[in-house]
Amino acid sequence: MTCPPRTLVLPPRLTASARTLRATALRRGLRIVEATASAVPEGLGSPGWAGAGWPEGTWPAGGAGGTRGARDRRGARGARSTENAESTGCTGSDGHAVHLHAGPSFADVVAPALGIALLEAPADWLARLPRALTQRDIRATTISEAYRLRRPAFVKSPNDKSIPALVYADGSRLPGPDAVDPATVVLVSDVMTFAVEYRLHLLDGAVHAAGQYAEAGRLRLGPPDGDALAFGQDVLAAAGETLPSAIVVDVGRDDEGRWAVIEANAAWASGCYSADPDRALETVLRAAGPATALSPHDRAFVR
């Protein structure tokens, strides 16, 4: 019996990294669906879906729901589908697996309707790491508490970009309560400057792919550094059990030679930069795949 190929759903606008992963997925036999708006067709997650495209205005019954889903549905215009002739084999209980690579806003609408489980690190993961792995004080708190800051601090959202990741002179410079729910969780950390930064794609307790993405605060792509890979293994040894099986962790070295974890990011929403695209794709597929295929360990890390 011939099994349908796995499907990778992509958002309307592709970054350079997404285009690289798209090409890699096609080469490996995955079917590609590129949305032209945030809508999901009836039957996309079923074995019988033929990839003929998304009819204009379609949306599955019982989809993402909520105000964000309703807002996105108003602009629904369908999608285009590209198929490769070869199947990569069956995965998932129904013989058809749908995966996703996209930013959080798109993923939050599309993933529930397609039965995709999005894996991410706990919101306070970075704050709970030992000081030896961060080289700075980090705490997870609400933005209402962060408003009380009276010193410069680096503030960011744990798992999305709702709060711009910046150094704020004090808490008064943060987005106000008219723009952000006061209960929104943020990470507040000491300011640390990195000389060089690397992205590590972690899969099943190992550094599966890696590459340099910045130097002196500017985009600069390059191969992984041996010390960065070794530090990644140290992070996994100390905190691997507190992460899902597929995740991206950024690490860096400062001018004094100290290595530190910068942040954890969902692999399904992260660029691959200079990492091996095949191995980066494997991390993405695990990080955003069928909820029915989740391991017991990963169930605790679903967004």
Side-chain angles (χ1 to χ4, degrees), residues 27 29 34 60 149 186 209 235 275:
R27 176 171 51 77
E34 295 179 49
L149 285 169
V186 295
V235 173

Side-chain angles (χ1 to χ4, degrees), residues 51-122:
W54 294 2
E56 180 171 335
T58 60
W59 189 266
T67 56
R68 173 161 49 187
R71 181 169 65 248
D72 289 343
R73 286 199 296 274
R74 287 197 292 269
R77 291 294 181 192
R80 58 185 179 274
S81 172
T82 306
E83 292 189 48
N84 187 300
E86 296 298 322
S87 169
T88 59
C90 294
T91 60
S93 62
D94 62 1
H96 180 82
V98 182
H99 304 266
L100 180 145
H101 176 61
S105 296
F106 181 88
D108 284 342
V109 172
V110 173
L114 297 182
I116 295 173
L118 303 172
L119 301 182
E120 65 182 11

Side-chain angles (χ1 to χ4, degrees), residues 210-293:
Q212 177 181 313
Y213 67 87
E215 186 173 308
R218 296 180 179 274
L219 181 68
R220 186 178 182 87
L221 305 184
D225 177 273
D227 289 340
L229 297 177
F231 181 67
Q233 293 294 350
D234 290 343
V235 173
L236 284 166
E241 286 300 312
T242 64
L243 288 169
S245 66
I247 194 74
V248 161
V249 171
D250 294 342
V251 302
R253 174 178 51 79
D254 70 5
D255 288 327
E256 298 176 18
R258 300 181 302 168
W259 285 93
V261 175
I262 298 172
E263 62 182 356
N265 291 295
W268 46 266
S270 297
C272 61
Y273 291 122
S274 59
D276 181 322
D278 280 281
R279 297 175 75 84
L281 176 64
E282 289 162 4
T283 309
V284 170
L285 296 179
R286 175 75 64 79
T292 55

